[in-house]
């Protein structure tokens, strides 16, 4: 009979729990309640826990404190999406509770579960019941209250799991969207899967990770910015960055030239200044090519193979979040500028629009592909500015951006943009002559004035806002409200525009996606212009997946 949990068993429980969560990620993805392609809760939680286990595998000892710190650090940096960030906070709370202990009794383990719940709630500004937060809270409270009613650890955790499942089954009663769709909360289901795997290990059987998930986990937590996290076989050894001042070259031209010299290429430019980041084996030739077009304002070259052999992420004191930011790159001969921008988007057209506005780093991601906290940290480290604004452009990305803000020692401002039109609107209104706080106040006003809409497709049959939707239908959404459903993209789009536009509207902007033909988009824009003669209708290629059109009305 197990009476205590030592470091080895604690490790096995988390590995088993992580494997079980990852094995069930597709099921968890399908539980998302809205009829839009937001089925990524399982993926986000899976990638978050995979990052935690990757960090755990670096710890050779079975010391509980070291195991807890590794799990906390790995999940924190790998957190993706709201569900992943909340999961990372649950793990962080558990890890804090076991610090300094050699083994855990039932009482101590119960307090650890409760600590996970408390930490997660503190991390969420407006906790919503009927989600993973409810499941972790109710099961944690149950654990603390029922410590003395069990003969063995297994019996205790079995009861905790039963309570977690009861809490999960009640989530539709707390969230109308869940009830309408006939599903339980996806994040709560992910937590239950984690607990199920932990209990299995407690009973002596570690859940194995299915082969396909082994491949997905390793590939997905690889990071394009910092190769020191990857394998030793680095194809291009020198991280080369420079700022070029040029009157006769644009970013696209420089990008085409740099493609032959390496990979991980990032080229952004605005008003005659172009910033280039490339991994290459020929940094000298890269700089010589750049000099043909103008003068180099700054240069930075780093040997990534050497960095790989001298990893600089500390393993001590997880409580000091700033230590997690010790991957900061040393910027050579580059003066800090007043403001920098990082944004998230999907689609080449949208990325190009953000680059034209002078955004320093465009992180590819958004709906169904949420950037991790580490993605934001790495981007922050590449921007040398006194104040850095992050535009997440997706409600499910804001928490990871805020978590990166807490970790970083730089002055970070997270603008709570929930869609692309909001992000672009903030950039348009940015005033370089004002300070960061004044711009943030201005951004708040911009966000309140921009009306945003999305045209996409339903991934399941459901009823939302009183509208019956069939799988595959074209649907139009503004905010969180379903406005229209049908079979014709143009008709649904026009109905959404009619819902958004009024007598005070001046501009209607359409960004068409990768699945829309340019001729069809132009015809739709002309039709809308005919209907709204006193309003300017603008059309841009966004190239975004999943969404036929993104719409803004100002």
């Amino acid at each position: 009979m197990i009476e205590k949990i030592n470091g080895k068993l604690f490790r096995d429980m988390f590995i088993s729990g992580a494997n079980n969560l990852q094995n069930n990620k597709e099921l968890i993805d399908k539980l998302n309640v809205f009829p839009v392609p937001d089925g990524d809760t399982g993926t986000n939680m899976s990638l978050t826990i995979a990052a935690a286990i990757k960090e755990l595998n670096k710890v050779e000892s079975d010391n509980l404190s070291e195991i807890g710190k590794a799990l906390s650090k790995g999940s924190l940096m790998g957190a993706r999406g709201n569900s992943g960030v909340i999961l990372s906070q649950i793990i962080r709370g558990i890890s804090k509770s076991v610090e300094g202990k050699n083994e855990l009794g039932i009482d101590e383990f119960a307090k650890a579960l409760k600590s996970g719940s408390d930490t997660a709630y503190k991390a969420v500004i407006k906790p919503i019941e009927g989600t993973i937060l409810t499941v972790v809270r109710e099961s944690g409270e149950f654990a603390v209250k029922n410590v003395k009613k069990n003969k063995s650890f297994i019996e205790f955790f079995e009861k905790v799991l039963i309570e977690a499942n009861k809490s999960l089954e009640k989530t539709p009663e707390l969230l109308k969207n869940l009830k309408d769709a006939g599903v339980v909360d996806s994040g709560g289901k992910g937590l239950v899967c984690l607990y199920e795997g932990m209990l299995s290990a407690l009973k002596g059987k570690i859940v194995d990770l299915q082969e396909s998930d082994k491949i997905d986990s390793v590939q997905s937590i690889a990071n394009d910015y910092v190769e020191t996290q990857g394998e030793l076989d680095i194809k291009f050894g020198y991280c080369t960055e420079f700022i070029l001042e040029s009157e006769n070259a644009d970013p696209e031209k420089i990008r085409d030239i740099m493609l032959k010299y390496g990979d991980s290429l990032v080229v952004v430019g605005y008003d005659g200044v172009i910033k280039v980041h490339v991994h290459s084996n020929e940094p000298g030739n890269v700089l010589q090519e750049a000099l043909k077009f103008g003068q180099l304002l700054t240069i930075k070259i780093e040997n990534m193979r050497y960095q790989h052999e001298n990893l600089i992420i500390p393993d001590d004191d997880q409580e000091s979040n700033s230590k997690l930011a010790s991957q900061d790159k040393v910027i050579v001969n580059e003066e800090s500028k007043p403001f920098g921008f990082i944004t998230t988007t999907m689609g080449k057209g949208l990325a190009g629009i953000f680059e034209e506005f002078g955004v320093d780093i465009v992180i590819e991601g958004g709906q169904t592909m949420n950037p991790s906290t580490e993605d934001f940290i790495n981007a922050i480290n590449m921007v040398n500015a006194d104040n850095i604004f992050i535009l997440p452009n997706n409600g499910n990305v804001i928490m990871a951006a805020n978590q990166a803000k807490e970790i970083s020692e730089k002055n970070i401002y997270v603008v709570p943009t929930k869609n692309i039109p909001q992000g672009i609107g903030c950039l348009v209104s940015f005033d370089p002559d004002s300070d960061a706080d004044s711009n943030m106040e201005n951004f708040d006003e911009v966000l309140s004035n921009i009306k945003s809409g999305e045209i996409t497709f339903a991934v399941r049959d459901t009823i939302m806002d009183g509208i019956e939707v069939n799988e595959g239908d074209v649907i139009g959404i503004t905010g969180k409200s379903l406005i229209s459903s049908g079979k014709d993209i143009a008709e649904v789009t026009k109905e959404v525009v009619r819902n958004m536009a009024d007598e005070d509207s001046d501009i209607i902007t359409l960004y068409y996606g990768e699945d829309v033909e340019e001729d069809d988009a132009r015809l739709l824009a002309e039709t809308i212009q005919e209907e709204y003669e006193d309003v300017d209708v603008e059309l841009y290629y966004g190239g975004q997946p999943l969404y036929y059109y993104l719409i803004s009305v100002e």
Side-chain angles (χ1 to χ4, degrees), residues 504-519:
D504 296 324
S505 301
D506 294 318
I507 303 174
I508 298 173
T509 307
L510 304 174
Y511 303 91
Y512 65 96
E514 64 178 7
D515 294 324
V516 177
E517 295 294 334
E518 182 178 355
D519 289 344

Side-chain angles (χ1 to χ4, degrees), residues 524-551:
L524 175 62
E526 291 171 3
T527 303
I528 293 174
Q529 183 67 81
E530 291 173 0
E531 186 170 343
Y532 298 92
E533 296 180 353
D534 298 329
V535 177
D536 291 331
V537 177
E538 299 182 353
L539 177 69
Y540 297 96
Y541 172 65
Q544 69 274 4
L546 306 177
Y547 295 95
Y548 302 117
Y549 289 97
L550 300 175
I551 309 166

Side-chain angles (χ1 to χ4, degrees), residues 121-132:
Y121 265 85
K122 290 177 183 177
V124 180
I125 297 175
K126 294 181 180 179
I128 297 176
E129 297 302 331
T131 66
I132 181 176

Side-chain angles (χ1 to χ4, degrees), residues 89-91 93-94 111-121 136:
Q89 293 301 312
I90 293 171
I91 294 173
I94 292 173
K111 290 178 179 178
L113 296 178
K114 181 65 166 57
S115 176
S117 168
D118 293 343
T119 304
Y121 265 85
V136 72

Side-chain angles (χ1 to χ4, degrees), residues 134-332:
T134 303
V135 179
V136 72
R137 176 178 57 79
E138 291 184 344
S139 58
E141 290 173 348
F142 174 88
V144 171
K145 292 178 181 178
N146 289 270
V147 167
K148 298 180 180 180
K149 300 179 181 180
N150 306 278
K151 297 179 181 179
S152 71
F153 229 120
I154 293 177
E155 180 185 349
F156 163 73
F157 203 23
E158 284 178 335
K159 292 180 180 178
V160 171
L161 179 57
I162 290 172
E163 186 66 23
N165 270 303
K166 287 181 180 178
S167 179
L168 177 64
E169 293 301 319
K170 289 188 297 183
T171 55
E173 301 303 318
L174 300 175
L175 270 182
K176 184 176 183 298
N177 289 327
L178 295 174
K179 191 170 186 177
D180 289 345
V183 296
V184 296
D185 177 65
S186 53
K189 178 62 176 179
L191 181 67
V192 167
C193 288
L194 177 67
Y195 285 174
E196 287 174 343
M198 294 174 73
L199 176 60
S200 182
L202 198 57
K203 292 180 176 180
K205 180 174 175 54
I206 298 176
V207 175
D208 291 327
L209 183 63
Q210 294 174 4
E211 192 65 31
S212 61
D213 291 304
K214 291 180 183 179
I215 297 172
D216 290 346
S217 299
V218 173
Q219 288 179 339
S220 299
I221 62 178
N223 193 290
D224 289 334
Y225 288 110
V226 180
E227 271 66 27
T228 56
Q229 299 296 313
E231 297 297 322
L232 185 58
D233 183 18
I234 298 173
K235 184 177 180 180
F236 297 102
Y238 294 93
C239 177
T240 306
E241 291 185 48
F242 59 87
I243 294 180
L244 170 67
E245 185 178 59
S246 176
E247 296 180 356
N248 59 350
D250 55 31
E252 288 74 20
K253 185 173 183 178
I254 298 298
R255 183 187 295 115
D256 291 342
I257 292 171
M258 293 299 159
L259 281 171
K260 65 181 180 180
Y261 285 104
D263 63 6
S264 296
L265 180 62
V266 178
V267 180
V268 294
Y270 184 69
D271 200 21
V273 177
I274 301 171
K275 182 168 183 176
V276 177
H277 166 275
V278 63
H279 295 167
S280 175
N281 288 326
E282 306 171 85
N285 291 339
V286 167
L287 299 179
Q288 287 295 328
E289 285 280 8
L291 284 169
K292 295 177 182 179
F293 297 93
Q295 64 174 330
L296 298 178
L297 302 183
T298 64
I299 300 171
K300 178 173 69 70
I301 300 173
E302 294 175 334
N303 186 328
M304 294 187 297
R305 294 188 179 96
Y306 177 78
Q307 286 180 325
H308 182 94
E309 296 167 0
N310 296 272
L311 290 177
I312 55 180
I313 301 178
D315 290 326
D316 57 349
D317 195 3
Q318 190 60 208
E319 282 304 293
S320 176
N321 281 344
S322 63
K323 291 187 178 183
L324 288 175
S326 61
Q327 296 180 64
D328 283 0
K329 300 180 179 181
V330 179
I331 309 295
V332 181

Side-chain angles (χ1 to χ4, degrees), residues 333-537:
N333 297 326
E334 181 175 346
E335 292 185 6
S336 177
K337 59 183 180 179
F339 302 104
F341 286 89
I342 298 168
T343 194
T344 300
T345 192
M346 297 178 71
K348 292 181 179 180
L350 292 174
I353 291 172
F354 281 115
E355 289 172 4
E356 289 177 5
F357 276 109
V359 171
D360 297 272
I361 301 294
V362 178
I363 301 175
E364 183 180 1
Q367 204 75 1
T368 75
M369 192 173 72
N370 300 150
S372 69
T373 300
E374 188 172 17
D375 289 333
F376 282 113
I377 286 292
N378 291 330
I380 288 169
N381 293 340
M382 291 176 66
V383 179
N384 189 21
D386 299 331
N387 304 282
I388 300 174
F389 294 101
I390 299 179
L391 307 171
N393 301 334
N394 187 291
N396 205 32
V397 176
I398 294 174
M399 286 188 71
N402 277 319
Q403 191 153 270
K405 171 185 174 181
E406 295 301 319
I407 293 172
S408 176
E409 293 180 333
K410 295 185 177 182
N411 294 326
I412 308 298
Y413 295 83
V414 177
V415 188
T417 53
K418 295 183 178 180
N419 51 58
I420 298 300
Q422 287 185 346
I424 293 174
C426 287
L427 289 169
V428 170
S429 69
F430 173 69
D431 182 1
D433 295 325
S434 296
D435 60 27
D437 291 331
S438 297
N439 271 293
M440 282 296 288
E441 292 177 7
N442 184 41
F443 292 158
D444 288 339
E445 185 176 348
V446 170
L447 295 182
S448 66
N449 291 330
I450 292 181
K451 298 177 183 179
S452 304
E454 302 163 340
I455 311 300
T456 182
F457 56 90
V459 295
R460 64 179 61 82
D461 296 343
T462 191
I463 297 175
M464 183 178 176
D465 296 321
I467 299 176
E468 185 174 341
V469 178
N470 296 315
E471 181 179 347
D473 280 356
V474 179
I475 55 176
I477 299 170
T478 62
K480 294 183 179 179
S481 300
L482 179 65
I483 301 302
S484 176
S485 175
K487 303 298 182 182
D488 187 273
I489 297 173
E491 290 303 317
V492 171
T493 304
K494 286 188 285 187
E495 191 169 343
V496 170
V497 171
R498 293 185 188 110
N499 179 271
M500 297 168 64
D502 56 33
E503 60 185 14
D504 296 324
S505 301
D506 294 318
I507 303 174
I508 298 173
T509 307
L510 304 174
Y511 303 91
Y512 65 96
E514 64 178 7
D515 294 324
V516 177
E517 295 294 334
E518 182 178 355
D519 289 344
D520 293 337
R522 291 193 180 280
L523 179 60
L524 175 62
E526 291 171 3
T527 303
I528 293 174
Q529 183 67 81
E530 291 173 0
E531 186 170 343
Y532 298 92
E533 296 180 353
D534 298 329
V535 177
D536 291 331
V537 177

